[in-house]
């Protein structure tokens, strides 16, 4: 049986394309969006790795407000890739769905990645 998610009971891999580097402001904006769609009466837990953009003063300052909206942050233990489900997905993508290691252009790489993610049922947001 699947656990409930923001999208019902079907697990979903969602992705958002960012131009440039991901920064803490973008992470906060995304978490703000999730918090707006959360319900205080239902527990919504976001599991994050320990990347610098997932931690820091600005994140900690927002955390109490998010929890009031029903959105809770939890962190994986350091050095535990076996607990980070995205690691298995990346392994499948890099090893099977995108075995080619170099692309002539960024557009070719993006197209190959889009095709691979579509093959595993990713939802593009």
């Amino acid at each position: 049986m699947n656990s409930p998610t923001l999208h019902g009971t079907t697990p979903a891999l969602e992705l958002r394309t960012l131009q440039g580097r991901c920064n803490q402001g973008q992470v906060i904006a995304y978490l703000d969006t999730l918090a707006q769609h959360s319900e205080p009466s239902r527990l919504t837990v976001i599991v994050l790795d320990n990347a610098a953009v997932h931690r820091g003063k600005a994140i900690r300052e927002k955390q109490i407000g998010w929890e009031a909206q029903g959105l809770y942050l939890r962190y994986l233990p350091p050095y535990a890739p076996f607990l980070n489900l995205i690691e298995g997905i990346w392994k499948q993508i890099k090893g099977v769905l995108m075995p080619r290691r170099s692309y002539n252009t960024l557009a070719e790489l993006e197209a190959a990645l889009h095709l691979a993610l579509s093959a595993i049922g990713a939802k593009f947001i």
Side-chain angles (χ1 to χ4, degrees), residues 14-102:
E14 292 185 348
L15 62 111
R16 181 180 296 185
T17 302
L18 298 174
Q19 295 298 319
R21 299 176 60 143
C22 179
N23 61 44
Q24 196 170 71
Q26 292 165 326
V27 171
I28 289 171
Y30 182 68
L31 293 172
D32 279 339
T33 301
L34 292 178
Q36 290 170 5
H37 291 93
S38 296
E39 298 175 24
S41 62
R42 298 185 67 194
L43 183 65
T44 301
V45 179
I46 304 300
V47 179
L48 301 166
D49 61 20
N50 290 286
V53 297
H54 296 155
R55 295 194 163 270
K57 184 178 179 183
I59 297 279
R60 289 191 305 271
E61 289 173 350
K62 299 279 296 185
Q63 203 161 353
I64 292 172
W66 290 328
E67 288 178 2
Q69 292 175 275
L71 179 75
Y72 294 82
L73 303 182
R74 296 296 178 259
Y75 293 90
L76 293 171
Y79 308 110
F82 55 91
L83 293 176
N84 190 345
L85 298 179
I86 196 68
E87 295 295 337
I89 292 169
W90 282 122
K91 183 177 181 179
Q92 180 182 7
I93 288 171
K94 292 188 295 185
V96 178
L97 299 171
M98 290 180 62
R100 191 170 147 197
R101 296 290 180 230
S102 65

Coordinates of all heavy atoms in Angstrom, one line a residue, residues 14-102:
E14 N 9.0 14.4 -8.9 CA 8.7 15.6 -9.5 C 10.1 16.3 -9.7 O 11.0 16.2 -8.9 CB 7.9 16.5 -8.6 CG 6.4 16.0 -8.5 CD 5.6 17.0 -7.7 OE1 6.1 17.9 -7.1 OE2 4.4 16.8 -7.7
L15 N 10.1 17.1 -10.8 CA 11.4 17.8 -11.0 C 11.0 19.2 -11.6 O 10.0 19.4 -12.2 CB 12.3 17.1 -11.9 CG 11.8 16.8 -13.3 CD1 12.6 17.6 -14.3 CD2 12.0 15.3 -13.6
R16 N 11.9 20.1 -11.3 CA 11.8 21.4 -11.8 C 13.1 21.8 -12.4 O 14.2 21.6 -11.7 CB 11.4 22.4 -10.6 CG 11.3 23.8 -11.0 CD 10.9 24.6 -9.8 NE 9.6 24.2 -9.3 CZ 9.0 24.8 -8.3 NH1 9.6 25.9 -7.7 NH2 7.9 24.4 -7.9
T17 N 13.2 22.4 -13.5 CA 14.4 22.8 -14.2 C 14.8 24.2 -13.7 O 13.9 25.1 -13.8 CB 14.3 22.7 -15.7 OG1 13.9 21.4 -16.1 CG2 15.6 23.1 -16.4
L18 N 16.0 24.4 -13.3 CA 16.5 25.7 -12.9 C 17.6 26.1 -13.9 O 18.4 25.2 -14.3 CB 17.0 25.7 -11.5 CG 16.1 25.3 -10.4 CD1 16.9 25.2 -9.1 CD2 15.0 26.4 -10.3
Q19 N 17.6 27.3 -14.3 CA 18.8 27.8 -15.0 C 19.8 28.3 -14.1 O 19.5 29.1 -13.2 CB 18.3 29.0 -15.9 CG 17.3 28.6 -17.0 CD 17.8 27.5 -18.0 OE1 19.0 27.6 -18.4 NE2 17.0 26.6 -18.3
G20 N 21.0 27.8 -14.2 CA 22.1 28.2 -13.3 C 22.1 27.3 -12.1 O 21.6 26.2 -12.1
R21 N 22.7 27.9 -11.0 CA 22.9 27.1 -9.8 C 21.7 27.2 -8.9 O 21.0 28.2 -8.9 CB 24.1 27.6 -9.1 CG 25.4 27.5 -9.9 CD 26.5 28.1 -9.1 NE 26.7 27.4 -7.9 CZ 27.8 27.1 -7.3 NH1 28.9 27.5 -7.9 NH2 27.9 26.5 -6.2
C22 N 21.4 26.1 -8.2 CA 20.4 26.1 -7.2 C 20.9 26.8 -5.9 O 22.0 26.5 -5.5 CB 20.0 24.6 -6.9 SG 18.6 24.5 -5.6
N23 N 20.1 27.7 -5.4 CA 20.5 28.4 -4.2 C 19.5 28.3 -3.1 O 18.4 27.8 -3.4 CB 20.9 29.9 -4.5 CG 19.7 30.7 -5.0 OD1 18.6 30.6 -4.5 ND2 20.0 31.5 -6.1
Q24 N 19.8 28.7 -2.0 CA 18.9 28.6 -0.8 C 17.6 29.4 -1.1 O 16.5 28.9 -0.6 CB 19.6 29.1 0.4 CG 18.9 28.6 1.7 CD 19.7 28.9 2.9 OE1 19.8 30.0 3.3 NE2 20.2 27.8 3.5
G25 N 17.6 30.5 -1.7 CA 16.4 31.2 -2.0 C 15.4 30.4 -2.9 O 14.2 30.5 -2.6
Q26 N 16.0 29.7 -3.8 CA 15.1 28.8 -4.7 C 14.5 27.7 -3.9 O 13.3 27.3 -4.0 CB 15.9 28.3 -5.9 CG 16.3 29.4 -6.8 CD 17.3 29.0 -7.8 OE1 18.2 28.2 -7.5 NE2 17.3 29.5 -9.0
V27 N 15.3 27.1 -3.0 CA 14.8 26.1 -2.1 C 13.7 26.6 -1.2 O 12.6 26.0 -1.0 CB 15.9 25.4 -1.3 CG1 15.4 24.5 -0.2 CG2 17.0 24.7 -2.2
I28 N 13.9 27.8 -0.6 CA 12.9 28.4 0.3 C 11.6 28.7 -0.5 O 10.5 28.4 -0.1 CB 13.4 29.6 0.9 CG1 14.5 29.2 2.0 CG2 12.3 30.5 1.5 CD1 15.2 30.4 2.6
A29 N 11.7 29.2 -1.7 CA 10.6 29.4 -2.6 C 9.8 28.2 -2.8 O 8.5 28.1 -2.8 CB 11.0 30.1 -3.9
Y30 N 10.5 27.1 -3.1 CA 9.8 25.8 -3.4 C 9.1 25.3 -2.1 O 8.0 24.9 -2.2 CB 10.8 24.8 -3.9 CG 10.2 23.4 -4.2 CD1 9.3 23.3 -5.3 CD2 10.5 22.3 -3.5 CE1 8.7 22.1 -5.6 CE2 9.9 21.1 -3.7 CZ 9.0 21.0 -4.8 OH 8.4 19.8 -5.1
L31 N 9.8 25.4 -1.0 CA 9.2 24.9 0.3 C 8.0 25.8 0.7 O 7.1 25.3 1.2 CB 10.3 24.9 1.4 CG 11.4 23.8 1.2 CD1 12.5 23.9 2.2 CD2 10.8 22.4 1.2
D32 N 8.1 27.1 0.4 CA 7.0 28.0 0.6 C 5.8 27.5 -0.2 O 4.6 27.5 0.3 CB 7.3 29.4 0.2 CG 8.1 30.2 1.3 OD1 8.1 29.8 2.5 OD2 8.7 31.2 0.9
T33 N 6.0 27.1 -1.4 CA 4.9 26.6 -2.3 C 4.3 25.3 -1.7 O 3.1 25.2 -1.7 CB 5.4 26.4 -3.7 OG1 5.9 27.6 -4.3 CG2 4.3 25.8 -4.6
L34 N 5.2 24.4 -1.3 CA 4.7 23.2 -0.7 C 3.9 23.5 0.6 O 2.8 22.9 0.8 CB 5.8 22.2 -0.4 CG 6.6 21.6 -1.6 CD1 7.7 20.8 -1.1 CD2 5.6 20.8 -2.4
A35 N 4.4 24.4 1.4 CA 3.7 24.8 2.7 C 2.3 25.3 2.4 O 1.3 25.1 3.1 CB 4.5 25.8 3.5
Q36 N 2.2 26.1 1.3 CA 0.9 26.7 1.0 C -0.1 25.6 0.6 O -1.3 25.8 0.8 CB 1.0 27.7 -0.2 CG 1.8 29.0 0.2 CD 2.1 29.8 -1.0 OE1 1.8 29.5 -2.1 NE2 2.9 30.9 -0.8
H37 N 0.4 24.5 0.1 CA -0.5 23.4 -0.3 C -0.7 22.4 0.8 O -1.4 21.4 0.6 CB 0.0 22.8 -1.6 CG -0.2 23.7 -2.8 ND1 0.8 24.5 -3.2 CD2 -1.2 23.9 -3.6 CE1 0.4 25.2 -4.3 NE2 -0.8 24.9 -4.5
S38 N 0.0 22.6 1.9 CA -0.1 21.6 3.0 C -1.3 22.0 3.8 O -1.8 23.1 3.8 CB 1.2 21.7 3.9 OG 2.3 21.3 3.1
E39 N -1.8 21.0 4.6 CA -2.9 21.2 5.5 C -2.4 21.0 6.9 O -1.8 19.9 7.2 CB -4.0 20.3 5.2 CG -4.6 20.5 3.9 CD -5.7 19.4 3.6 OE1 -6.3 18.8 4.5 OE2 -5.9 19.1 2.4
P40 N -2.5 21.9 7.9 CA -2.1 21.7 9.2 C -2.6 20.4 9.9 O -2.0 19.8 10.7 CB -2.5 22.9 10.0 CG -2.7 24.0 8.9 CD -3.1 23.2 7.7
S41 N -3.8 20.0 9.5 CA -4.4 18.8 10.0 C -3.8 17.5 9.5 O -4.0 16.4 10.0 CB -5.9 18.8 9.8 OG -6.1 18.7 8.4
R42 N -3.0 17.6 8.4 CA -2.3 16.4 7.8 C -0.8 16.7 7.8 O -0.3 17.7 7.4 CB -2.8 16.2 6.4 CG -4.3 15.9 6.4 CD -4.7 15.6 5.0 NE -4.1 14.3 4.6 CZ -4.1 13.9 3.4 NH1 -4.6 14.6 2.4 NH2 -3.6 12.8 3.1
L43 N -0.1 15.7 8.2 CA 1.4 15.7 8.3 C 2.0 15.7 6.9 O 1.7 14.7 6.2 CB 1.9 14.6 9.2 CG 3.4 14.5 9.4 CD1 3.8 15.7 10.3 CD2 3.7 13.2 10.1
T44 N 2.8 16.7 6.6 CA 3.6 16.7 5.3 C 5.0 16.8 5.7 O 5.4 17.7 6.4 CB 3.2 17.9 4.4 OG1 1.8 17.8 4.1 CG2 4.0 17.8 3.1
V45 N 5.8 15.7 5.4 CA 7.2 15.7 5.7 C 8.1 15.7 4.5 O 7.8 14.9 3.5 CB 7.6 14.4 6.6 CG1 9.0 14.4 6.9 CG2 6.7 14.4 7.8
I46 N 9.0 16.6 4.4 CA 10.0 16.7 3.3 C 11.3 16.2 3.8 O 11.8 16.7 4.8 CB 10.1 18.2 2.8 CG1 8.8 18.8 2.4 CG2 11.1 18.2 1.7 CD1 8.1 18.0 1.3
V47 N 11.9 15.2 3.2 CA 13.1 14.6 3.6 C 14.2 15.2 2.7 O 14.1 15.1 1.5 CB 13.1 13.1 3.5 CG1 14.5 12.5 3.9 CG2 12.0 12.5 4.4
L48 N 15.2 15.8 3.3 CA 16.3 16.5 2.6 C 17.6 15.9 2.9 O 17.8 15.3 4.0 CB 16.3 18.0 3.0 CG 15.0 18.8 2.7 CD1 15.1 20.1 3.5 CD2 14.8 19.0 1.2
D49 N 18.5 16.0 1.9 CA 19.9 15.6 2.2 C 20.6 16.8 2.9 O 19.9 17.8 3.3 CB 20.6 15.1 1.0 CG 20.8 16.2 -0.1 OD1 20.6 17.4 0.2 OD2 21.0 15.8 -1.2
N50 N 21.8 16.7 3.2 CA 22.5 17.7 3.9 C 23.2 18.8 3.1 O 24.2 19.4 3.5 CB 23.5 17.1 4.9 CG 22.7 16.4 6.0 OD1 22.1 17.1 6.9 ND2 22.6 15.1 6.0
A51 N 22.8 19.0 1.8 CA 23.4 20.0 1.0 C 23.3 21.3 1.7 O 22.3 21.6 2.4 CB 22.7 20.0 -0.4
A52 N 24.2 22.2 1.4 CA 24.3 23.5 2.1 C 23.0 24.3 1.8 O 22.5 25.1 2.6 CB 25.5 24.3 1.6
V53 N 22.4 24.2 0.6 CA 21.2 24.9 0.2 C 20.0 24.5 1.0 O 19.0 25.2 1.0 CB 20.9 24.9 -1.3 CG1 22.0 25.6 -2.1 CG2 20.6 23.5 -1.8
H54 N 20.1 23.3 1.6 CA 18.9 22.8 2.4 C 19.0 23.1 3.9 O 18.1 22.8 4.7 CB 18.9 21.2 2.3 CG 18.6 20.7 1.0 ND1 19.0 19.5 0.5 CD2 18.0 21.3 -0.1 CE1 18.7 19.3 -0.7 NE2 18.1 20.4 -1.1
R55 N 20.1 23.7 4.3 CA 20.3 24.1 5.7 C 20.7 25.6 5.8 O 20.7 26.3 4.8 CB 21.5 23.3 6.3 CG 21.1 21.8 6.3 CD 22.2 21.1 7.2 NE 21.7 19.8 7.6 CZ 21.0 19.5 8.7 NH1 20.6 20.5 9.5 NH2 20.6 18.3 9.0
G56 N 20.9 26.0 6.9 CA 21.3 27.4 7.1 C 20.3 28.3 7.9 O 19.2 27.8 8.1
K57 N 20.7 29.4 8.2 CA 19.9 30.3 9.0 C 18.5 30.7 8.4 O 17.5 30.6 9.1 CB 20.7 31.6 9.3 CG 20.0 32.6 10.2 CD 20.8 33.8 10.5 CE 20.1 34.8 11.4 NZ 20.8 36.0 11.6
A58 N 18.5 31.0 7.1 CA 17.3 31.3 6.5 C 16.3 30.2 6.5 O 15.1 30.4 6.7 CB 17.5 31.8 5.0
I59 N 16.7 29.0 6.3 CA 15.9 27.8 6.4 C 15.3 27.6 7.8 O 14.1 27.4 8.0 CB 16.6 26.5 5.9 CG1 17.0 26.6 4.4 CG2 15.8 25.3 6.2 CD1 16.0 26.3 3.4
R60 N 16.2 27.7 8.8 CA 15.8 27.6 10.2 C 14.8 28.6 10.6 O 13.8 28.3 11.3 CB 17.0 27.6 11.1 CG 17.9 26.4 11.0 CD 18.9 26.3 12.1 NE 19.8 27.5 12.2 CZ 20.9 27.7 11.5 NH1 21.4 26.7 10.7 NH2 21.6 28.8 11.7
E61 N 15.0 29.8 10.1 CA 14.0 30.9 10.4 C 12.6 30.7 9.8 O 11.6 31.1 10.4 CB 14.6 32.3 9.9 CG 15.7 32.8 10.7 CD 16.4 34.0 10.1 OE1 16.0 34.4 8.9 OE2 17.2 34.6 10.7
K62 N 12.5 30.0 8.7 CA 11.3 29.7 8.1 C 10.6 28.4 8.6 O 9.4 28.3 8.5 CB 11.4 29.5 6.6 CG 12.0 30.7 5.8 CD 11.0 31.8 5.5 CE 9.9 31.2 4.6 NZ 8.9 32.2 4.1
Q63 N 11.4 27.6 9.3 CA 10.9 26.3 9.6 C 9.7 26.3 10.6 O 8.7 25.6 10.4 CB 12.0 25.5 10.3 CG 11.8 24.0 10.2 CD 13.1 23.2 10.4 OE1 14.2 23.8 10.5 NE2 13.0 21.9 10.5
I64 N 9.7 27.2 11.6 CA 8.5 27.3 12.5 C 7.2 27.7 11.8 O 6.2 27.1 12.0 CB 8.8 28.3 13.6 CG1 9.9 27.7 14.5 CG2 7.6 28.6 14.5 CD1 10.5 28.7 15.6
G65 N 7.3 28.6 10.8 CA 6.2 29.0 10.0 C 5.7 27.9 9.2 O 4.5 27.6 9.0
W66 N 6.6 27.1 8.6 CA 6.2 26.0 7.7 C 5.5 24.9 8.6 O 4.5 24.3 8.2 CB 7.4 25.4 7.0 CG 7.9 26.2 5.9 CD1 7.3 27.1 5.1 CD2 9.3 26.3 5.5 NE1 8.1 27.7 4.2 CE2 9.4 27.2 4.4 CE3 10.5 25.7 5.9 CZ2 10.6 27.5 3.8 CZ3 11.7 25.9 5.3 CH2 11.7 26.9 4.2
E67 N 6.0 24.7 9.8 CA 5.4 23.7 10.6 C 4.0 24.1 11.0 O 3.1 23.2 11.1 CB 6.3 23.4 11.9 CG 7.6 22.6 11.5 CD 8.5 22.4 12.6 OE1 8.2 22.8 13.8 OE2 9.6 21.8 12.4
A68 N 3.8 25.4 11.2 CA 2.4 25.9 11.5 C 1.5 25.6 10.4 O 0.3 25.4 10.6 CB 2.5 27.3 11.9
Q69 N 2.0 25.5 9.2 CA 1.2 25.2 8.0 C 1.1 23.7 7.7 O 0.4 23.3 6.8 CB 1.8 25.9 6.7 CG 1.7 27.4 6.8 CD 2.4 28.1 5.6 OE1 3.6 28.3 5.7 NE2 1.6 28.3 4.5
G70 N 1.8 22.9 8.5 CA 1.8 21.4 8.4 C 2.9 20.8 7.6 O 2.9 19.7 7.3
L71 N 3.9 21.6 7.3 CA 5.1 21.1 6.5 C 6.3 21.0 7.5 O 6.7 22.0 8.1 CB 5.4 22.1 5.4 CG 6.6 21.7 4.5 CD1 6.2 20.6 3.6 CD2 7.1 22.9 3.7
Y72 N 6.8 19.8 7.5 CA 8.0 19.5 8.4 C 9.2 19.1 7.6 O 9.0 18.3 6.6 CB 7.6 18.4 9.4 CG 6.5 18.8 10.4 CD1 5.2 18.8 10.0 CD2 6.9 19.3 11.6 CE1 4.2 19.2 10.9 CE2 5.9 19.8 12.5 CZ 4.5 19.7 12.1 OH 3.6 20.1 13.0
L73 N 10.3 19.5 8.0 CA 11.6 19.1 7.4 C 12.3 18.1 8.2 O 12.4 18.3 9.4 CB 12.5 20.4 7.2 CG 11.9 21.5 6.4 CD1 13.0 22.6 6.3 CD2 11.4 21.1 5.0
R74 N 12.8 17.1 7.6 CA 13.7 16.1 8.3 C 14.9 15.9 7.4 O 14.8 16.0 6.1 CB 12.9 14.8 8.5 CG 11.8 14.9 9.5 CD 12.3 15.4 10.9 NE 11.2 15.5 11.8 CZ 10.6 16.7 12.1 NH1 11.1 17.8 11.6 NH2 9.7 16.8 13.0
Y75 N 16.0 15.6 8.0 CA 17.3 15.4 7.2 C 17.8 14.0 7.3 O 17.7 13.4 8.4 CB 18.3 16.4 7.8 CG 17.9 17.9 7.5 CD1 17.2 18.6 8.4 CD2 18.3 18.5 6.3 CE1 16.8 19.9 8.1 CE2 17.9 19.8 6.0 CZ 17.2 20.5 6.9 OH 16.8 21.8 6.6
L76 N 18.3 13.6 6.2 CA 19.0 12.3 6.2 C 20.3 12.4 7.0 O 20.9 13.4 7.1 CB 19.4 11.9 4.8 CG 18.2 11.6 3.8 CD1 18.7 11.4 2.4 CD2 17.5 10.3 4.3
P77 N 20.7 11.3 7.6 CA 22.0 11.3 8.3 C 23.1 11.6 7.3 O 23.0 11.2 6.1 CB 22.2 9.9 8.9 CG 21.0 9.1 8.4 CD 20.1 10.0 7.7
P78 N 24.2 12.2 7.7 CA 25.3 12.4 6.7 C 25.9 11.1 6.2 O 25.8 10.1 7.0 CB 26.4 13.2 7.6 CG 25.6 13.6 8.8 CD 24.5 12.7 9.0
Y79 N 26.4 11.1 5.0 CA 27.0 9.9 4.4 C 26.1 8.7 4.4 O 26.5 7.6 4.8 CB 28.3 9.6 5.2 CG 29.2 10.8 5.2 CD1 29.4 11.5 6.5 CD2 29.8 11.4 4.1 CE1 30.2 12.6 6.5 CE2 30.6 12.5 4.2 CZ 30.8 13.1 5.4 OH 31.5 14.3 5.4
A80 N 24.9 8.9 4.0 CA 23.9 7.7 4.0 C 23.2 7.7 2.6 O 22.0 7.8 2.5 CB 22.9 7.8 5.1
P81 N 24.0 7.5 1.5 CA 23.4 7.6 0.2 C 22.3 6.4 0.0 O 21.4 6.6 -0.8 CB 24.5 7.4 -0.8 CG 25.6 6.8 0.0 CD 25.4 7.3 1.4
F82 N 22.5 5.4 0.8 CA 21.5 4.3 0.6 C 20.1 4.7 1.2 O 19.1 4.0 0.8 CB 22.0 3.0 1.4 CG 22.4 3.3 2.8 CD1 21.4 3.1 3.8 CD2 23.6 3.7 3.2 CE1 21.7 3.3 5.1 CE2 23.9 3.9 4.5 CZ 23.0 3.8 5.5
L83 N 20.0 5.7 1.9 CA 18.7 6.2 2.4 C 18.1 7.3 1.5 O 17.0 7.6 1.6 CB 18.9 6.8 3.8 CG 19.2 5.8 5.0 CD1 19.4 6.5 6.3 CD2 18.2 4.7 5.1
N84 N 18.9 7.8 0.6 CA 18.5 8.9 -0.3 C 18.0 8.2 -1.5 O 18.7 7.8 -2.4 CB 19.6 9.8 -0.6 CG 19.2 11.1 -1.3 OD1 18.1 11.1 -1.8 ND2 20.0 12.1 -1.3
L85 N 16.6 8.1 -1.7 CA 16.0 7.4 -2.8 C 16.4 7.9 -4.2 O 16.5 7.2 -5.1 CB 14.5 7.4 -2.6 CG 14.0 6.7 -1.4 CD1 12.5 6.8 -1.3 CD2 14.5 5.3 -1.3
I86 N 16.8 9.2 -4.2 CA 17.1 9.8 -5.5 C 18.4 9.2 -6.0 O 18.7 9.1 -7.2 CB 17.2 11.3 -5.5 CG1 17.2 11.9 -6.9 CG2 18.4 11.8 -4.7 CD1 15.9 11.7 -7.7
E87 N 19.3 8.7 -5.1 CA 20.6 8.1 -5.5 C 20.3 6.8 -6.4 O 21.0 6.6 -7.4 CB 21.4 7.7 -4.3 CG 21.9 8.9 -3.5 CD 22.8 9.8 -4.2 OE1 23.5 9.4 -5.2 OE2 22.9 11.0 -3.8
G88 N 19.3 6.0 -6.1 CA 19.0 4.9 -6.9 C 18.5 5.2 -8.2 O 18.7 4.6 -9.3
I89 N 17.7 6.3 -8.3 CA 17.1 6.8 -9.5 C 18.3 7.3 -10.4 O 18.3 7.0 -11.6 CB 16.1 7.9 -9.3 CG1 14.8 7.2 -8.6 CG2 15.7 8.6 -10.6 CD1 13.8 8.2 -8.1
W90 N 19.2 8.1 -9.9 CA 20.3 8.6 -10.7 C 21.2 7.4 -11.2 O 21.7 7.5 -12.3 CB 21.2 9.6 -9.9 CG 20.6 10.9 -9.8 CD1 20.3 11.6 -8.7 CD2 20.2 11.8 -10.9 NE1 19.7 12.8 -9.0 CE2 19.6 13.0 -10.3 CE3 20.2 11.6 -12.3 CZ2 19.2 14.0 -11.1 CZ3 19.7 12.7 -13.1 CH2 19.2 13.8 -12.5
K91 N 21.3 6.4 -10.3 CA 22.1 5.2 -10.8 C 21.5 4.6 -12.0 O 22.1 4.2 -13.0 CB 22.3 4.2 -9.6 CG 23.1 3.0 -9.9 CD 23.2 2.1 -8.7 CE 24.1 1.0 -9.1 NZ 24.3 0.1 -7.9
Q92 N 20.1 4.4 -11.9 CA 19.4 3.8 -13.1 C 19.5 4.7 -14.3 O 19.7 4.2 -15.4 CB 17.9 3.7 -12.7 CG 17.1 3.0 -13.8 CD 15.6 2.9 -13.4 OE1 15.2 3.4 -12.4 NE2 14.9 2.3 -14.2
I93 N 19.4 6.0 -14.1 CA 19.4 6.9 -15.3 C 20.8 6.9 -15.9 O 21.0 6.7 -17.1 CB 19.0 8.4 -14.8 CG1 17.5 8.4 -14.6 CG2 19.5 9.4 -15.9 CD1 17.1 9.7 -13.9
K94 N 21.9 7.0 -15.1 CA 23.2 7.1 -15.6 C 23.7 5.8 -16.1 O 24.5 5.7 -17.1 CB 24.2 7.6 -14.5 CG 23.9 9.1 -14.2 CD 25.0 9.6 -13.2 CE 25.0 9.0 -11.9 NZ 25.9 9.5 -10.9
G95 N 23.2 4.6 -15.5 CA 23.8 3.3 -15.9 C 23.0 2.7 -17.0 O 23.5 1.9 -17.8
V96 N 21.7 3.0 -17.1 CA 20.9 2.3 -18.1 C 20.2 3.2 -19.1 O 20.3 3.0 -20.3 CB 19.7 1.5 -17.4 CG1 18.8 0.8 -18.4 CG2 20.3 0.5 -16.4
L97 N 19.6 4.2 -18.6 CA 18.8 5.1 -19.5 C 19.6 6.2 -20.2 O 19.2 6.7 -21.3 CB 17.7 5.8 -18.7 CG 16.7 4.8 -18.1 CD1 15.7 5.5 -17.1 CD2 15.9 4.1 -19.1
M98 N 20.8 6.5 -19.7 CA 21.7 7.5 -20.3 C 23.1 7.0 -20.3 O 24.0 7.6 -19.7 CB 21.6 8.8 -19.6 CG 20.3 9.5 -19.8 SD 20.3 11.1 -18.9 CE 21.6 12.0 -19.7
P99 N 23.4 5.8 -21.0 CA 24.7 5.3 -20.9 C 25.8 6.1 -21.5 O 27.0 6.0 -21.2 CB 24.6 3.9 -21.5 CG 23.5 4.1 -22.4 CD 22.5 5.0 -21.8
R100 N 25.4 7.0 -22.5 CA 26.3 7.8 -23.1 C 26.9 8.8 -22.1 O 26.2 9.4 -21.4 CB 25.6 8.6 -24.3 CG 26.5 9.3 -25.2 CD 25.7 9.7 -26.4 NE 26.3 11.0 -26.9 CZ 25.6 11.8 -27.7 NH1 24.4 11.6 -28.1 NH2 26.2 12.9 -28.1
R101 N 28.2 9.1 -22.2 CA 28.8 9.9 -21.2 C 29.2 11.3 -21.6 O 29.5 12.2 -20.8 CB 30.1 9.3 -20.7 CG 29.9 8.0 -20.0 CD 29.3 8.2 -18.6 NE 29.1 7.0 -17.9 CZ 28.0 6.6 -17.4 NH1 26.9 7.4 -17.4 NH2 27.8 5.5 -16.8
S102 N 29.0 11.6 -22.9 CA 29.3 13.0 -23.4 C 28.2 13.4 -24.4 O 27.8 12.5 -25.2 CB 30.7 13.1 -23.9 OG 30.8 12.3 -25.1

